[in-house]
Amino acid sequence: MIIRRWILLGLWLLSLVSISFYGGAVSYGFFFGVTFVPVVAAIYLLCVYFRFKIYQKLESRNVVCGQPVPYFFVLQNDDHFAFTSVGVRLFSSFSSVEKLPDGTSYELLPGDRYTFETKLVCKYRGEYEVGVKEIVITDFLRLFQVSYRVPETIRALVMPRVVQVDELQCIADIQALLQRETYRAQTEPDVVVREYVPGDALKQIHWKATARAQELKVRTRTGEEKTGIAILCDTKRYSADNREYLPLENKMLEVLLALTVYFAQRNMACRICYGQRGMVCRHVQDLKDFDVFYRQAAAIDFVQEESVEETGRQALAGGAWQDCRILFFVLHAWSDSVWEMAEQIAAGGGIAVLCLVTDGNMDEYMKLGSVRKRIVVLPVEAKLEGKL
């Protein structure tokens, strides 16, 4: 395109020389012809800009990360002149459109209508724009190019993906023991009660004991003190650039959901704690509870003001981990305060597992790991199977 402009400029200068030294109708005709070529090209671009039509639609605004969703868009020329070059550029950072390379150009004759039926895949959880981002139009001589943003873009609300792992490598050596103790825990609740902890299932409340004590009391299951599983998830936003925080937050939720669904499938009670401008605790016992928690997890906000250290201290003070046998920390960065909590869990006979979702070098911290204080590094774009 730049070469064409230089050629046109050279021809225009040549026409000036011709007028200056020779004159005549031919020289002036050549001059006016070269002069009006860019003017006509610009008028053509304006006509295409105001008359070109594009329609696009996503089957559902609510989609699940990684799952293809039917998507179509239409390019249409209702005018009596051809559109020589119409380029389509897509939102390609967080989504992809199958069988449609980004930047493809099309020629539309008068009355032409191109319909593209394909599928769109969103890469990360969150809310962002997908589909066609902008249109690029070029004149018939390839001298000028104009791009403009599609006025009505599609904004998708992407739910996190649930990754199901067959085995948790980080606790593979103690899973069989946990399952045996969990089986014993499914017996009828005994009469021993304890104070209610936010996140306990309502069906476990002992109403007679509650009435006598005038405060909520919860049944203690046989073996409960051995099978408690808890997860603390960091919900701090570490960047203002969505190209950085969307992939990270998406992977952290994948880890959180993968751990939760793993225990829910085995009917192993799990308590999840995270910050949402204050500590939130959720209790998941089985897949029915997990379905409820999935919708809650999809709505988690990552905000800059959150502090996983403060959320952890609130959970410790509130007794949310008092029956904890295994505690998972889902983190983005190393935290000395969280490591101190892990040491407390280990000193009390439990097992702490730090799941670090990061692409950074964690070799220095990996040396601190032990049987009761385990460290797992999960790269942002890595698959969880075989690594978690």
Side-chain angles (χ1 to χ4, degrees):
M1 186 174 292
I2 295 178
I3 295 177
R4 292 171 183 266
R5 292 175 184 174
W6 280 110
I7 292 174
L8 182 64
L9 178 60
L11 292 175
W12 187 75
L13 293 174
L14 182 62
S15 69
L16 287 179
V17 173
S18 177
I19 291 173
S20 302
F21 289 96
Y22 300 102
V26 175
S27 298
Y28 279 99
F30 180 49
F31 170 76
F32 285 113
V34 175
T35 302
F36 280 106
V37 163
V39 176
V40 174
I43 294 174
Y44 169 83
L45 285 180
L46 287 175
C47 292
V48 176
Y49 179 88
F50 287 109
R51 297 292 295 170
F52 176 74
K53 294 182 176 64
I54 179 171
Y55 309 95
Q56 61 175 335
K57 183 178 180 180
L58 192 65
E59 184 181 70
S60 174
R61 181 174 177 269
N62 297 309
V63 300
V64 176
C65 177
Q67 292 187 3
V69 181
Y71 164 76
F72 80 89
F73 71 93
V74 177
L75 305 179
Q76 187 167 330
N77 180 2
D78 292 333
D79 276 303
H80 300 291
F81 60 93
F83 297 164
T84 59
S85 178
V86 177
V88 176
R89 291 181 181 171
L90 307 171
F91 288 101
S92 56
S93 298
F94 310 131
S95 63
S96 61
V97 178
E98 295 180 358
K99 302 178 182 180
L100 184 66
D102 190 17
T104 305
S105 295
Y106 305 92
E107 292 186 1
L108 287 84
L109 296 176
D112 274 355
R113 175 187 175 96
Y114 290 167
T115 301
F116 300 87
E117 295 185 6
T118 179
K119 291 187 178 180
L120 184 144
V121 179
C122 294
K123 301 177 183 178
Y124 308 116
R125 172 262 190 186
E127 185 176 3
Y128 45 86
E129 293 172 309
V130 298
V132 178
K133 176 183 181 181
E134 62 181 6
I135 300 298
V136 181
I137 54 178
T138 309
D139 67 280
F140 46 86
L141 290 179
R142 303 293 193 272
L143 294 174
F144 307 110
Q145 191 175 77
V146 175
S147 61
Y148 68 95
R149 187 180 178 89
V150 175
E152 296 182 1
T153 57
I154 298 175
R155 196 168 186 85
L157 183 61
V158 188
M159 306 283 281
R161 174 174 49 191
V162 178
V163 179
Q164 299 186 22
V165 296
D166 297 330
E167 184 179 41
L168 292 179
Q169 299 293 329
C170 56
I171 57 169
D173 54 331
I174 61 172
Q175 286 186 28
L177 176 62
L178 281 175
Q179 291 172 356
R180 288 197 298 270
E181 292 180 346
T182 302
Y183 174 77
R184 292 198 299 269
Q186 305 307 312
T187 58
E188 191 69 22
D190 55 32
V191 295
V192 179
V193 295
R194 57 174 173 80
E195 292 184 0
Y196 174 82
V197 175
D200 284 330
L202 294 179
K203 60 185 178 182
Q204 289 300 111
I205 295 178
H206 195 296
W207 295 109
K208 291 184 178 179
T210 296
R212 288 194 298 268
Q214 295 298 306
E215 62 179 1
L216 289 175
K217 296 292 183 178
V218 179
R219 293 182 176 90
T220 300
R221 289 183 180 272
T222 303
E224 184 182 18
E225 70 282 357
K226 296 182 179 181
T227 60
I229 298 170
I231 304 173
L232 174 64
C233 183
D234 185 6
T235 55
K236 180 179 178 64
R237 176 156 291 174
Y238 289 89
S239 172
D241 188 348
N242 59 1
R243 292 172 296 181
E244 295 181 6
Y245 71 71
L246 274 178
L248 170 63
E249 295 171 7
N250 176 74
K251 181 59 67 174
M252 293 184 72
L253 284 183
E254 276 191 9
V255 174
L256 174 62
L257 292 172
L259 292 171
T260 308
V261 74
Y262 178 86
F263 294 116
Q265 288 174 331
R266 291 156 179 78
N267 294 321
M268 301 169 70
C270 180
R271 182 175 290 116
I272 303 100
C273 299
Y274 53 89
Q276 290 289 272
R277 298 174 179 84
M279 186 185 70
V280 175
C281 281
R282 307 295 186 189
H283 183 90
V284 176
Q285 172 72 46
D286 49 30
L287 288 177
K288 184 177 180 181
D289 292 338
F290 175 79
D291 291 339
V292 176
F293 174 69
Y294 174 76
R295 293 190 291 271
Q296 295 167 340
I300 288 178
D301 287 330
F302 287 78
V303 294
Q304 190 175 3
E305 294 76 18
E306 285 298 340
S307 169
V308 66
E309 294 85 359
E310 180 60 30
T311 303
R313 284 191 286 269
Q314 291 181 22
L316 279 172
W321 300 339
Q322 63 182 6
D323 59 349
C324 179
R325 170 72 182 272
I326 303 178
L327 175 58
F328 293 88
F329 296 91
V330 182
L331 310 172
H332 163 55
W334 180 269
S335 169
D336 291 333
S337 298
V338 171
W339 183 247
E340 292 177 2
M341 297 178 197
E343 291 179 330
Q344 292 182 39
I345 295 296
I351 295 175
V353 182
L354 272 68
C355 301
L356 295 170
V357 181
T358 178
D359 291 325
N361 189 345
M362 294 287 111
D363 292 344
E364 179 181 351
Y365 300 108
M366 292 292 289
K367 300 176 183 178
L368 301 176
S370 63
V371 175
R372 292 196 173 275
K373 294 176 291 183
R374 308 182 181 201
I375 303 173
V376 181
V377 177
L378 303 167
V380 174
E381 297 294 343
K383 294 183 178 180
L384 297 182
E385 188 68 43
K387 291 186 176 293
L388 183 57

